[in-house]
Amino acid sequence: MADNRKYYYLKLKENFFDSDSIVLLEDMKDGILYSNILLKLYLKSLKNGGKLQLDEHIPYTAQMIATLTRHQIGTVERALEIFRQLGLVEQLDSGAFYMTEIELMIGQSSTEAERKRAARLENKALLPPRTKGGHLSDIRPPEIELEKE
């Protein structure tokens, strides 16, 4: 049987980069780097429901985030502080960072769901287009019983 993997994806609204916090973020010195770090952190936190953790017990540190995002440690530390000020990130009691708006952005799928979605689209393409209204009774009028004496 085929391997059924789970996939997580990030759903961004079309006005994501027009939101006040992102506009303010990108207007800062190194702001484009900060927005890049923010998007990478959103992606890293998808599997854990918004928490930035290596596993259940080990939260990411600023150094670990710098390594994973391929940015300098000073840039990451400044970015995390700015994210806290803008309300984009919270630090939990466990020390883990939590991406505050992630719940609205998480999407999830699996290989089986993708296969079914593709099959539905294929079946939809094979159906002949309807020319009249959308009711079955437009194609086949209902049967009427007539009483004969």
Side-chain angles (χ1 to χ4, degrees), residues 2 40 50 55 87 148:
K40 287 180 179 183
D55 63 21
K148 293 184 181 177

Side-chain angles (χ1 to χ4, degrees), residues 26-63:
E26 289 184 340
D27 190 49
M28 297 177 182
K29 182 180 182 283
D30 294 331
I32 299 299
L33 292 177
Y34 299 156
S35 68
N36 180 265
I37 292 168
L38 180 66
L39 288 173
K40 287 180 179 183
L41 294 182
Y42 278 140
L43 290 171
K44 283 287 179 197
S45 71
L46 284 176
K47 286 184 181 179
N48 297 318
K51 292 180 195 169
L52 288 166
Q53 293 180 294
L54 182 61
D55 63 21
E56 294 176 12
H57 307 290
I58 303 173
Y60 284 135
T61 63
Q63 178 61 51

Side-chain angles (χ1 to χ4, degrees), residues 80-137:
L80 288 171
E81 183 56 36
I82 292 167
F83 297 161
R84 277 192 215 117
Q85 291 172 359
L86 292 173
L88 300 170
V89 172
E90 292 178 0
Q91 191 156 16
L92 303 176
D93 294 336
S94 65
F97 293 104
Y98 176 73
M99 310 303 291
T100 56
E101 297 178 5
I102 194 72
E103 294 298 322
L104 303 172
M105 299 178 185
I106 293 179
Q108 182 176 331
S109 188
S110 65
T111 52
E112 180 65 15
E114 292 296 323
R115 185 193 65 75
K116 286 181 180 179
R117 188 175 297 121
R120 279 190 213 108
L121 287 173
E122 186 178 316
N123 286 341
K124 193 174 185 179
L126 294 176
L127 290 175
R130 292 184 132 174
T131 56
K132 292 192 176 188
H135 297 287
L136 185 60
S137 63

